[in-house]
Amino acid sequence: MSTKLQLKRAWGPTVEAPVLVMKEGFSPRYDLDRWTGVISRIGHTAEGQSIVGKILIIPTVKGGVAAGWAFYDLLHKEIAPLGLVFGKLNPVMVQGAILANIPIADGLDQESMLMLHSGQNVRFDPSNKNITIVNFS
Amino acid sequence: MRLTDLEQSMLDGKQGEAVREALAFQLEVGRFFGAERFVPITNAHLMGDIEVMGNAGLGLLRRLSDHHGHCAVSTSTNARCMHFGEVDELRQDIVEIEKEKEIVRLIKDMGAVATDTCINYQTVYQPKLGEHVAWGDTGTVIYANSVLGARTNYEGGMSSFAASLTARTPAYGFHLDENRRGTLHVNVKAQLKDTADWGALGKIIGHPNQDYFSVPVFHGIDEMPLSDHLKHLGASLASYGSMAMYHMVGVTPEAMTSAQAFSGRHPDHTIEVTNADIASVYSAYNYLEAQANIVVFSGPQLSIFEMQNIAKLFEGRHVATGMHVFVTTNHAVWSDAKRLGYVETLEKSGVKILQGVCFYILQRLTQIREENGWTNLISNSAKLVNTITAHRFNTILRKTHQCVDIACTGELT
C-alpha cells in the first residue's frame, strides 16, 4: 500500500530515502553542525539527529541567507540531505537547493505532514509534485 | 519566463560563460516561483565567506573569475567570517584565513567594493522608493523593502553574485506589488526604548508567524523610531520569522496610512503587543552556572551612533574578571569611531572590537566557545541570540545598558 502526498511547487530529480520530520523551522546556520550534518541547536525537535542522506520534512523556515551556500558546501563535504520538502519556504532555500542540485518543494499541508514519521521511506517526485510513502502501514 | 533579446544572448553564452551560468541559475529560481520576466537592478550586495561557502563555494567563485565574471552593477560585500587582526580569544585557522583573503581578492577583481558590512543601508548605499536591487543578507533585505521602499528578495549564495553579473533578477516575491501588501495587523501598546526592545518585538511577531510572504503592519508607534531601532526590529523579524518586509503606519514609505499598507487586503489576524509581552521575552531567558561568559554587541554591525552610545556606557568602567566583551562593526564606522575616540574608550575598558565581521558567522566559532569556556552569551541583539545557537551558546537577551552592567560587574542579572 502506498500513499501520495501533494506538493505545491517543486524542482529537481526524483529521489527515494528515509525522511527526517522536523516540528519547527530549520536553518542550516541556526540549527546544524555543518561539519557533521547533525542538528546541534539546543532544544531543536530534531536535536542530535543526522540530516545526511535524508529527505527533510520541514514546516517553515527561519532566517537566513546561509542556505544559499550551505547546501552546496554540505554536498561537497558528503553530508548533504537528499531532498527538502517544506510547508513554507523562502527563496534562499530554493537558491541553495538548485545550486546543490538537491530536489526541493513547498506546499506540504499540515495534514500530510502528520502522516510522515522520521525513518519512513518515501519517494519524492518533483516533476509530478508529490511524495509517495513507501511501505505505508 | 519571457526573455529579452539581451537576456537570450546571455543565455546563449554571447556575454561570456560566467554570465551564461549566472542567468541559467537565475532562470531556474525564477521558474520555481513562477516569475514571468527579469527585472533590471541597480545594486547588488554579495554574501559569501569561507565559513559558509566552504571549499565548494570558493571553487565556484574561482570558476566565475576564470570565466572573467564582472559585476555589471555597483556591488558591495557583506560581513566576513574572519577578523584579520590579532585577537587572543579567536585563534582562527591560518589556512582558512588565506582562503578568506582569496575570496576577498576574487570579489574585488570582479569589480565589487569590499565593504564587509551588513549595514550597507546605513553606511554604503540607500536605494530609493521603488528601486530594484539584489541584496544577500536578510537584515539588509528587510530594511531595504520596509524602511527605504526599495525592492529585493533574499538573494543568498550564488544568487546575489548572479544578479551582480547579469544586472537583473527574476521578478517574483517583493519585486511585485501584490506581495508587498500587509498580511498581519500588529497593535503596539508597548513602550519601546532600547534597540533590544525593538528586537524583542520582532521575536514576538516573527517566531509564531514564520512565513517569508508574511508582511506585518505595525500600528500605534507614537514616537518616531530611529534607524537603529528599525534595523533591530527588521533583523529580528527576518531571523525569527524569515520575513522580508514590514510596514509601520506613519513611518515607512509605503504605509502613510493603514489603508495604504494593506492595499485592500484583509489581515490574517491581529496581534496586540504590550509592555508585559516585551518583559516576558526578557524573563524567558535563563542563565547557566558558568566560570566564563561573553557579552556581544553585534548582529547587525554597530552604527556610529551605537558605537557612541556604548562608548559612553563603558567610559570609566572595566570588563569584569570572567567576562569577555566583543563589538563588531564595519571598516567605515570603525575608522570614524577611532577618529572620535570611541575605539580608545572601549579598548581601555577591555572591550574587543572586530572589524568587517559579524560575530555569529565567525569561522570555528564552536571551538572558540569551547576553548574559552564561554557558557552564557548576553547580547542586546534579538537576532544574535537566535542565530548563534547552532554553536551551543546559552543565549540571553538584555537591554543595552544591562549588557554593559553585566559585562562590568560579572553579575548575571
Side-chain angles (χ1 to χ4, degrees):
Chain A
M1 181 180 173
S2 66
T3 297
K4 274 191 170 46
L5 308 176
Q6 291 305 307
L7 304 165
K8 183 179 161 195
R9 297 180 286 206
W11 179 93
T14 298
V15 289
E16 189 170 321
V19 292
L20 172 60
V21 181
M22 300 183 186
K23 302 294 183 194
E24 62 185 285
F26 170 72
S27 156
R29 172 162 273 156
Y30 300 179
D31 302 319
L32 183 69
D33 182 329
R34 286 177 278 121
W35 288 263
T36 63
V38 172
I39 302 287
S40 57
R41 181 189 180 99
I42 298 167
H44 193 283
T45 52
E47 184 183 352
Q49 299 199 52
S50 172
I51 66 163
V52 182
K54 308 271 178 62
I55 295 171
L56 307 186
I57 308 296
I58 311 164
T60 58
V61 283
K62 304 171 185 173
V65 288
W69 287 117
F71 291 126
Y72 193 58
D73 179 39
L74 295 175
L75 185 77
H76 286 77
K77 288 176 178 162
E78 300 183 338
I79 55 172
L82 218 56
L84 302 163
V85 178
F86 288 87
K88 294 175 179 176
L89 53 62
N90 69 22
V92 180
M93 295 293 170
V94 177
Q95 294 154 5
I98 289 174
L99 183 64
N101 198 33
I102 296 172
I104 184 167
D106 74 350
L108 186 69
D109 63 31
Q110 282 188 326
E111 197 177 321
S112 299
M113 216 164 275
L114 290 172
M115 298 176 71
L116 292 165
H117 305 285
S118 292
Q120 276 177 328
N121 269 315
V122 306
R123 186 180 306 111
F124 170 24
D125 179 358
S127 56
N128 287 304
K129 296 181 184 168
N130 65 40
I131 296 176
T132 306
I133 303 176
V134 182
N135 299 325
F136 180 72
S137 58
Chain B
M1 285 176 69
R2 291 191 310 275
L3 299 185
T4 63
D5 291 345
L6 175 61
E7 288 155 2
Q8 188 60 54
S9 79
M10 289 179 178
L11 193 60
D12 293 341
K14 292 174 183 167
Q15 313 290 325
E17 176 57 21
V19 170
R20 189 207 62 75
E21 185 176 345
L23 197 90
F25 170 80
Q26 291 182 299
L27 260 176
E28 294 295 325
V29 175
R31 284 176 182 146
F32 183 95
F33 286 103
E36 295 178 354
R37 61 187 172 87
F38 282 97
V39 61
I41 59 162
T42 54
N43 182 265
H45 186 67
L46 308 181
M47 191 284 292
D49 59 74
I50 194 64
E51 196 270 346
V52 72
M53 293 172 82
N55 291 337
L58 175 56
L60 190 154
L61 203 52
R62 284 173 180 155
R63 189 170 73 236
L64 291 177
S65 177
D66 288 345
H67 290 143
H68 309 292
H70 198 271
C71 301
V73 292
S74 63
T75 300
S76 51
T77 62
N78 206 47
R80 311 229 65 80
C81 68
M82 296 288 187
H83 179 73
F84 294 125
E86 285 283 316
V87 177
D88 292 344
E89 293 94 330
L90 301 189
R91 295 187 291 278
Q92 296 188 291
D93 291 328
I94 291 168
V95 173
E96 299 300 305
I97 288 174
E98 289 308 312
K99 290 179 190 171
E100 185 77 343
K101 285 180 178 172
E102 183 183 353
I103 290 171
V104 175
R105 193 166 58 246
L106 290 169
I107 290 174
K108 283 161 91 172
D109 287 349
M110 289 167 66
V113 178
T115 52
D116 304 339
T117 186
C118 53
I119 52 167
N120 58 332
Y121 49 85
Q122 289 183 311
T123 55
V124 180
Y125 187 70
Q126 296 82 34
K128 303 170 292 299
L129 181 66
E131 186 173 343
H132 295 274
V133 296
W135 283 8
D137 173 86
T138 59
T140 70
V141 167
I142 196 166
Y143 196 97
N145 281 323
S146 312
V147 182
L148 304 176
R151 296 184 173 218
T152 177
N153 287 306
Y154 290 178
E155 300 268 15
M158 171 66 176
S159 204
S160 56
F161 284 78
S164 177
L165 295 176
T166 65
R168 64 205 63 235
T169 193
Y172 67 92
F174 291 93
H175 292 285
L176 306 178
D177 289 344
E178 62 260 35
N179 295 318
R180 300 175 69 84
R181 298 183 298 173
T183 65
L184 286 177
H185 181 279
V186 183
N187 195 9
V188 180
K189 292 191 167 175
Q191 301 301 307
L192 307 169
K193 298 294 182 190
D194 193 82
T195 50
D197 298 335
W198 288 89
L201 174 62
K203 180 179 182 180
I204 290 167
I205 302 305
H207 191 64
N209 297 290
Q210 290 176 341
D211 186 350
Y212 181 72
F213 291 99
S214 196
V215 181
V217 179
F218 294 94
H219 295 74
I221 305 294
D222 49 14
E223 194 173 325
M224 185 58 77
L226 304 177
S227 169
D228 287 325
H229 296 152
L230 299 177
K231 152 172 133 175
H232 277 268
L233 170 64
S236 180
L237 286 168
S239 176
Y240 290 95
S242 198
M243 293 171 181
M245 185 167 186
Y246 63 87
H247 295 291
M248 193 172 287
V249 176
V251 175
T252 58
E254 293 169 76
M256 286 302 101
T257 63
S258 181
Q260 185 193 6
F262 286 110
S263 294
R265 191 173 190 163
H266 286 289
D268 299 336
H269 58 283
T270 296
I271 305 165
E272 188 171 284
V273 181
T274 64
N275 286 328
D277 295 323
I278 299 291
S280 69
V281 170
Y282 293 112
S283 63
Y285 295 95
N286 296 304
Y287 288 103
L288 296 177
E289 284 291 322
Q291 297 298 311
N293 299 300
I294 177 171
V295 175
V296 180
F297 301 92
S298 177
Q301 292 171 335
L302 272 62
S303 71
I304 192 66
F305 295 114
E306 290 178 296
M307 291 293 283
Q308 180 193 36
N309 185 41
I310 64 159
K312 198 184 300 176
L313 291 169
F314 270 104
E315 190 160 21
R317 307 179 77 182
H318 200 276
V319 173
T321 303
M323 300 299 299
H324 293 77
V325 182
F326 286 88
V327 169
T328 75
T329 190
N330 65 18
H331 307 297
V333 170
W334 187 91
S335 298
D336 257 356
K338 177 76 175 169
R339 182 176 57 83
L340 294 164
Y342 308 149
V343 168
E344 188 184 356
T345 300
L346 289 167
E347 289 182 343
K348 207 169 156 187
S349 298
V351 174
K352 304 281 174 73
I353 306 173
L354 307 181
Q355 276 186 68
V357 304
C358 203
F359 196 83
Y360 72 91
I361 65 171
L362 283 174
Q363 186 263 342
R364 75 184 290 278
L365 187 52
T366 299
Q367 293 94 320
I368 291 170
R369 178 186 61 74
E370 291 168 350
E371 287 165 4
N372 289 285
W374 293 329
T375 299
N376 298 297
L377 182 149
I378 304 104
S379 179
N380 66 345
S381 164
K383 170 178 177 165
L384 186 82
V385 300
N386 191 37
T387 55
I388 206 163
T389 44
H391 299 288
R392 300 181 75 81
F393 285 91
N394 182 57
T395 60
I396 312 283
L397 179 69
R398 289 291 180 263
K399 294 175 195 285
T400 307
H401 72 89
Q402 292 173 317
C403 289
V404 175
D405 287 345
I406 291 164
C408 295
T409 64
E411 293 172 14
L412 304 178
T413 54

